[in-house]
Amino acid sequence: MNKKIHVTVSLFFKITGSEMGGGEDLYCESKVNLNTEDLSGFNLQEYAKSQIDGFAELLKVPEENVQIVSRQEYEENTEED
């Protein structure tokens, strides 16, 4: 019997002050798909920090301009009209 489970971890971000955003807040999502028997090796805090660092570098903003937000806030601000 295969004991592995499929898990998706999603984080949602609000980025402020990016030139790419033209003065507007940007909203981004990060996902990682895991196929594992044990999640004890996955450090959510480290994953979140690495994503913040990556978005800050990519969008040339300070790390404090990258905030984790709720799925609800993300969806409310990314809905197509």
Side-chain angles (χ1 to χ4, degrees):
M1 181 171 138
N2 186 358
K3 294 182 181 181
K4 290 190 176 185
I5 57 170
H6 301 280
V7 177
T8 300
V9 177
S10 299
L11 295 176
F12 305 92
F13 301 89
K14 174 182 169 181
I15 296 102
T16 56
S18 168
E19 286 184 31
M20 184 180 284
E24 299 289 322
D25 293 336
L26 295 175
Y27 286 85
C28 302
E29 177 181 9
S30 173
K31 287 185 184 180
V32 62
N33 293 311
L34 306 171
N35 186 20
T36 183
E37 292 180 15
D38 181 5
L39 287 173
S40 65
F42 181 76
N43 186 315
L44 183 57
Q45 294 299 324
E46 284 181 16
Y47 175 68
K49 175 75 170 116
S50 72
Q51 296 303 295
I52 289 170
D53 292 346
F55 280 123
E57 182 178 341
L58 176 70
L59 297 170
K60 298 176 178 57
V61 297
E63 291 176 17
E64 56 267 13
N65 288 27
V66 182
Q67 300 173 347
I68 296 175
V69 298
S70 67
R71 176 188 299 264
Q72 180 179 351
E73 180 176 342
Y74 170 82
E75 289 176 351
E76 287 172 354
N77 288 280
T78 57
E79 289 179 351
E80 297 288 325
D81 290 326

